[in-house]
Amino acid sequence: MEQYSEKVMQHFNNPHNVGEIPDADGVGTVGNPICGDVMKLYIKVKNDIIIEAKFKTFGCGAAVATSSMVTDLVKDKTIEEALKISNKAVAEALGGLPPVKMHCSVLAEQALRAALADYYKKIGRDPSAFEPKKDSHEHHH
Ligand code: FES
């Protein structure tokens, strides 16, 4: 069995901010290519500050715990600050994750970035800062 910190167990057993925001300003849905789990993250933004965040996860315990932590961490943060929240920061805030579970925390980071990008698209700003960096220099014939 994986060794989870006490904090992970707390968030898993009693996750914060579970649910949907029906009139969300941004929604991010991401799938984890490693395990196939899916996370959906909703944010409500006012004056560039995230005033509410909720999530739904079809995933493992670590995914539930990191989602819960991410929604706690982004609350009352500016978009700029939220952008700096990495999966490592989330894992650290949880007292660490077993190495085999680090990929689960990536889901939370990406769902957050996807939700922020969705918000930017809605208000007509360039969302490219939020998109995971891809190699766009493929050669086509
Ligand atoms: Fe899928 Fe953790 S095993 S998110």
Side-chain angles (χ1 to χ4, degrees):
M1 215 193 131
E2 297 93 3
Q3 279 159 14
Y4 287 121
S5 71
E6 202 173 309
K7 217 149 196 180
V8 171
M9 291 311 295
Q10 279 168 8
H11 277 268
F12 172 64
N13 288 321
N14 183 18
H16 307 171
N17 313 307
V18 176
E20 305 175 22
I21 302 177
D23 57 343
D25 296 309
V27 183
T29 309
V30 293
N32 190 326
I34 300 172
C35 59
D37 289 342
V38 179
M39 180 183 300
K40 203 162 183 180
L41 201 138
Y42 304 78
I43 52 169
K44 191 105 194 106
V45 184
K46 205 173 182 183
N47 299 329
D48 257 15
I49 291 175
I50 300 168
I51 53 167
E52 200 183 353
K54 286 196 174 181
F55 78 95
K56 277 189 156 179
T57 296
F58 293 92
C60 68
V64 171
T66 47
S67 314
S68 171
M69 183 50 92
V70 141
T71 51
D72 272 357
L73 285 176
V74 296
K75 190 143 189 287
D76 300 326
K77 293 259 160 53
T78 65
I79 305 245
E80 196 95 328
E81 286 165 343
L83 248 187
K84 290 189 197 126
I85 297 175
S86 66
N87 70 305
K88 284 203 186 75
V90 176
E92 261 163 44
L94 283 167
L97 280 171
V100 293
K101 287 288 171 185
M102 273 311 280
H103 72 92
C104 312
S105 64
V106 174
L107 203 60
E109 178 189 312
Q110 288 183 347
L112 172 63
R113 295 177 79 92
L116 290 169
D118 185 45
Y119 167 66
Y120 261 33
K121 270 179 222 151
K122 263 186 202 141
I123 61 168
R125 278 193 221 157
D126 177 13
S128 55
F130 303 103
E131 259 131 43
K133 288 196 181 82
K134 275 194 217 130
D135 184 13
S136 54
H137 301 289
E138 284 166 38
H139 296 287
H140 295 285
H141 294 286

